[in-house]
Amino acid sequence: MLRAGALGALALVGTASSLAAQQQSCPATTPGATMPLTWQGGATIAAITPCDLMTRLYIYAADSMRGREAGTADAIHATAYLEREVRRLGLRPAGDNGTFFQNMPVTARLVSASSTISAGGRTFHPDVDFSAAGAAAGKKVMGDAIFGGTLGDTLHALSPDAVRGKIVVVLPPVGGGRGFGGFGGRGGGAGNALAGAEAIVVVSPTVSRPRLQFVLNDTMQNEGRTAYAAANPAAANAGPQRGRGGAVGGPITITVTPALAAAMLGKPASSAVVGDKGGDVAIDLSIENIAEPTRNVVAILPGTDAVLRNQYIVIGAHSDHIGMSNANPVVEHDSLKAYNMVARVEGADSRNAPAPTAEQWVRINALKDSLRRVRPARLDSISNGADDDGSGSVSILEIAEAFAKGPVKPKRSLIFVWQTGEEKGLWGSQWFTNHPTVSRDSIVADLNLDMVGRGAAIDVTGQDKDNHLLMGAENYLQLVGSRRLSTELGDIAEQVSATEPVPFRFDYAMDANGHPQNIYCRSDHANYARYGIPVIFFTTGGHADYHQVTDEPEYIQYEHMARVDQLVFDIAVRVANLDHRVAVDKPHPDSPFARCQQ
């Protein structure tokens, strides 16, 4: 128990912090203010404030960060900023060799310049005549060329027998598409009808070097999965799944110029008829693997209790986003913003959305015009990732500063971890939970923040199992996984929220068993849960800017985000000061390598 004098000192500190917060001024707290494209705020303070969050996010999701793709120098730039901040806060390093960085063995995979395609008596070369992304290993393919029509046209498609063993040349889908050379690494695939082909060749007006394919070489994960699969044959594909990859194996997919396609077919693809046969084609792909530095940032705030300080609550987010891709065209920002707000209300999750109706086009154009009245047209090609997950990353910094500089010091220790490669398949949390820098058994709970900066009443935050749209609100917050392992942890979240100045309305719709979006398995908390560690995934949900170049700091709800962060702070204090470990009363996976299932 604190002495009376100590309590008075804490009250003074708390009062000083509150006064400092009230004295802050920024567009995020100015009613009716137009949010700027760039912003430079002042020094951050101990309290969790909207202005602090705005200051941090305009740094962390700036164009200069170039989308923070894991495996690139841009992600190194971003993690260097995080490291400087936690060092400034005086937190204890918990990475490798006394540093704040936990390095991960990641390699970049690309098609070697020595690769060739031979057709029509000529030899063609990568990045000039063709590109191939996503190839896992070198491959040599020989076969006869055949024209397969337009990709995705099932009405005029060749039969499986007709394509078996062939090099199938196809035109891109009507309306374009993106990432044809390996389908952007996201497993788009070309459909079962072409599964028996040796290669699928997509004709494109231009060919450029595809974005690098990055691979995490986690020996422990791979060996553990293999051993588990051997003991459990029905679980041969065991492992946490994010639900975004395509089929393994099958035909290779290559993007080629019209000239190379003509050499294969003996005529231009534009004048070919489905089933037209060409000549012999030889494809020789050689793959290079290049080591690329990739790292988590891990810092500890030691607890105050001599015994309980050896137990930890993890407060985590992912530091990466999807970066820049030469497969992504440069777009006019406000036009895309208006289009998605009306026709693709869940951004990248609005898959197979129908073309806008005439009425929707009227709304799109009206929105675009209103945005243009604010500022001139601007071209954009950077996926800034302000909400996903710049919001979580800066929220953890803000929470860490509140603990480091503020009066509240929990009994258990806190681990702040910025996990990289979440967008690649939960790499950073996979690596940290497989190779923890503290005893894994000492981790009491994981509080994961991923996309906590939106949730306004105009945001479509997802869909329930019955396909009804979910909408945000002033007090909106989604909780995922909060009672899947521990009833007590879920109850604590509800109890703490009830004591907040503005209690949250928790939305559990996305956490429903069997939800088709499988959100429980799609963020970093899933890697903690597979080891039986209780988790809560905090998110304000989706929106029209999800995985779009329009996910920028100017659209973040900073006051709402500050309240979310304060809630997480308060839940962390409650869990850290319990006289017992939060109880695990629900079944957890028999193996950490079992497939994640919501």
Side-chain angles (χ1 to χ4, degrees), residues 157-314:
L158 294 170
S159 70
D161 287 339
V163 304
R164 189 167 292 113
K166 299 292 195 303
I167 310 295
V168 183
V169 180
V170 293
L171 296 173
V174 175
R178 59 191 244 191
F180 300 123
F183 295 86
R186 292 181 64 99
N192 294 332
L194 300 180
E198 288 290 334
I200 302 165
V201 174
V202 183
V203 186
S204 175
T206 58
V207 168
S208 58
R209 191 179 185 89
R211 67 187 300 163
L212 295 177
Q213 302 295 301
F214 296 99
V215 180
L216 172 63
N217 307 297
D218 189 346
T219 302
M220 177 181 174
Q221 177 83 352
N222 294 336
E223 290 179 351
R225 184 187 292 114
T226 300
Y228 177 70
N232 302 270
N237 293 321
Q241 301 295 317
R242 191 174 169 86
R244 57 169 61 191
V248 177
I252 57 174
T253 305
I254 299 173
T255 302
V256 304
T257 62
L260 176 46
M264 292 179 172
L265 293 171
K267 65 175 70 173
S270 58
S271 63
V273 177
V274 174
D276 279 354
K277 295 179 180 179
D280 294 335
V281 177
I283 300 172
D284 186 352
L285 292 184
S286 177
I287 303 301
E288 294 181 24
N289 291 287
I290 304 169
E292 293 288 354
T294 306
R295 60 198 187 185
N296 293 330
V297 178
V298 192
I300 288 177
L301 178 85
T304 58
D305 186 274
V307 175
L308 294 180
R309 70 187 310 168
N310 296 312
Q311 296 178 8
Y312 301 87
I313 291 91
V314 171

Side-chain angles (χ1 to χ4, degrees), residues 59 209 329 366 407 437 447:
I59 295 171
R209 191 179 185 89
T437 57
L447 307 179

Side-chain angles (χ1 to χ4, degrees), residues 155-453:
L155 183 61
H156 303 99
L158 294 170
S159 70
D161 287 339
V163 304
R164 189 167 292 113
K166 299 292 195 303
I167 310 295
V168 183
V169 180
V170 293
L171 296 173
V174 175
R178 59 191 244 191
F180 300 123
F183 295 86
R186 292 181 64 99
N192 294 332
L194 300 180
E198 288 290 334
I200 302 165
V201 174
V202 183
V203 186
S204 175
T206 58
V207 168
S208 58
R209 191 179 185 89
R211 67 187 300 163
L212 295 177
Q213 302 295 301
F214 296 99
V215 180
L216 172 63
N217 307 297
D218 189 346
T219 302
M220 177 181 174
Q221 177 83 352
N222 294 336
E223 290 179 351
R225 184 187 292 114
T226 300
Y228 177 70
N232 302 270
N237 293 321
Q241 301 295 317
R242 191 174 169 86
R244 57 169 61 191
V248 177
I252 57 174
T253 305
I254 299 173
T255 302
V256 304
T257 62
L260 176 46
M264 292 179 172
L265 293 171
K267 65 175 70 173
S270 58
S271 63
V273 177
V274 174
D276 279 354
K277 295 179 180 179
D280 294 335
V281 177
I283 300 172
D284 186 352
L285 292 184
S286 177
I287 303 301
E288 294 181 24
N289 291 287
I290 304 169
E292 293 288 354
T294 306
R295 60 198 187 185
N296 293 330
V297 178
V298 192
I300 288 177
L301 178 85
T304 58
D305 186 274
V307 175
L308 294 180
R309 70 187 310 168
N310 296 312
Q311 296 178 8
Y312 301 87
I313 291 91
V314 171
I315 304 177
H318 71 87
S319 61
D320 64 310
H321 191 52
I322 60 175
M324 301 178 67
S325 170
N326 55 12
N328 291 335
V330 176
V331 298
E332 200 285 302
H333 181 103
D334 292 333
S335 295
L336 180 64
K337 175 77 173 174
Y339 184 92
N340 286 349
M341 287 177 68
V342 174
R344 301 178 77 240
V345 294
E346 294 182 85
D349 272 349
S350 292
R351 298 177 179 89
N352 303 315
T357 64
E359 179 185 358
Q360 286 178 315
W361 273 118
V362 171
R363 293 169 53 203
I364 290 168
N365 288 323
L367 278 169
K368 181 186 68 176
D369 292 343
S370 67
L371 293 169
R372 290 276 176 80
R373 283 193 288 271
V374 176
R375 57 177 59 95
R378 52 188 167 130
L379 298 180
D380 202 347
S381 62
I382 300 172
S383 296
N384 299 72
D387 190 34
D388 186 16
D389 187 28
S391 64
S393 294
V394 301
S395 288
I396 295 180
L397 276 178
E398 189 74 352
I399 293 168
E401 184 168 43
F403 277 114
K405 292 184 176 180
V408 178
K409 307 297 181 186
K411 294 180 180 180
R412 289 179 174 83
S413 298
L414 303 177
I415 298 180
F416 300 95
V417 54
W418 289 264
Q419 294 140 148
T420 194
E422 188 265 2
E423 300 291 359
K424 305 291 187 185
L426 315 187
W427 284 358
S429 55
Q430 172 184 313
W431 187 259
F432 182 78
T433 54
N434 282 351
H435 311 272
T437 57
V438 299
S439 167
R440 191 185 298 112
D441 291 341
S442 68
I443 300 176
V444 171
D446 171 58
L447 307 179
N448 177 44
L449 290 81
D450 190 350
M451 298 176 63
V452 292

Side-chain angles (χ1 to χ4, degrees), residues 574-590:
R574 177 75 70 88
V575 175
N577 290 340
L578 289 174
D579 60 4
H580 60 281
R581 290 180 64 128
V582 64
V584 177
D585 60 341
K586 300 289 184 65
H588 58 79
D590 294 332

